[in-house]
Amino acid sequence: MSTAQRLVAAAAELLDEGGQAAVTLRAVGSATGVSHNAPYKHFTSRDDLLAAVAAADFTAIAESWRTIGESSLDPVERLLDALDVVIRFSRDHPARYRLLFGTPDVAAQGGTLGEAAETALQVFSNIVVDCQKTGALPSSSSNNLGIIIFATAHGLIDADASGRLRSRSGWTDVRAGLRFLIGLLRDQPPGHTSPPTTLSDTSTQETREV
């Protein structure tokens, strides 16, 4: 393992132990047994280091998604299993989860982090496409569907963490809520809406009732 990789691993551990406030270049250097100045040879700033941690986590998540996508499970189960990867990550590594999806300053770093995030999104989109091919999801933009499903998962994860989800919905877990969403998307394809009700329609209905 290179010095840069050791620094990233140490930063990830510090995040798990004390959140972002615990991560400084000096603390990471001390945790890896290198000089206080050594981290600056690999990372220009604390945000640069945090971006490297996020990139590593996106890469690991994408690899898990790739394995799930190649499995023989039903496409919907593959999609739910892929979302379970993120659900578990949010529970096991809450600070790193917030780093991935709730830290704009770090996301703005771009570079390797942007590439890792884009690769992960593409792998997730491929799983969405497999669902579309079987009719389990509507034939809309797989990218947009993936974003909607993932954004809903993020909201449900937050609701579950706060204790609001299960008491208000009756769902046993986040996966149950996501299965409900997928059912809605399957049964109500994009572009299918009820005809708008006009004043003339209302008047006609009232006349019939009279």
Side-chain angles (χ1 to χ4, degrees):
M1 184 181 289
S2 68
T3 300
Q5 290 172 324
R6 289 170 54 210
L7 291 168
V8 169
E13 289 183 9
L14 288 172
L15 273 167
D16 285 339
E17 294 170 1
Q20 289 194 32
V23 181
T24 65
L25 290 175
R26 180 178 291 270
V28 170
S30 177
T32 53
V34 299
S35 70
H36 295 319
N37 291 327
Y40 292 94
K41 297 178 181 179
H42 302 276
F43 303 101
T44 58
S45 66
R46 174 176 175 273
D47 280 353
D48 190 27
L49 172 60
L50 289 173
V53 175
D57 283 336
F58 269 127
T59 298
I61 288 172
E63 188 57 36
S64 294
W65 283 347
R66 192 172 286 109
T67 299
I68 290 169
E70 295 171 352
S71 74
S72 59
L73 291 172
D74 174 82
V76 169
E77 296 306 313
R78 291 204 297 267
L79 177 58
L80 290 169
D81 282 356
L83 292 165
D84 273 346
V85 170
V86 180
I87 295 168
R88 287 194 301 272
F89 187 84
S90 73
R91 292 172 181 165
D92 296 342
H93 310 286
R96 286 157 64 184
Y97 174 78
R98 289 191 294 273
L99 177 66
L100 291 182
F101 304 111
T103 314
D105 289 346
V106 173
Q109 295 289 310
T112 302
L113 172 56
E115 293 172 4
E118 184 60 32
T119 296
L121 178 60
Q122 184 57 58
V123 176
F124 185 76
S125 293
N126 292 341
I127 296 174
V128 171
V129 168
D130 288 342
C131 288
Q132 291 177 296
K133 290 177 179 177
T134 63
L137 287 176
S139 56
S140 180
S141 162
S142 59
N143 182 63
N144 290 348
L145 272 175
I147 290 172
I148 289 295
I149 293 169
F150 205 84
T152 301
H154 182 61
L156 291 175
I157 287 169
D158 282 349
D160 194 37
S162 70
R164 299 190 307 270
L165 178 66
R166 305 185 193 201
S167 62
R168 297 297 299 271
S169 68
W171 295 325
T172 57
D173 52 24
V174 173
R175 185 183 179 108
L178 292 169
R179 189 182 292 279
F180 178 77
L181 170 67
I182 292 169
L184 291 178
L185 291 171
R186 179 189 61 233
D187 297 337
Q188 190 80 356
H192 178 76
T193 57
S194 300
T197 301
T198 64
L199 288 176
S200 60
D201 292 335
T202 304
S203 299
T204 301
Q205 180 64 28
E206 290 175 347
T207 302
R208 289 174 180 172
E209 291 176 350
V210 173

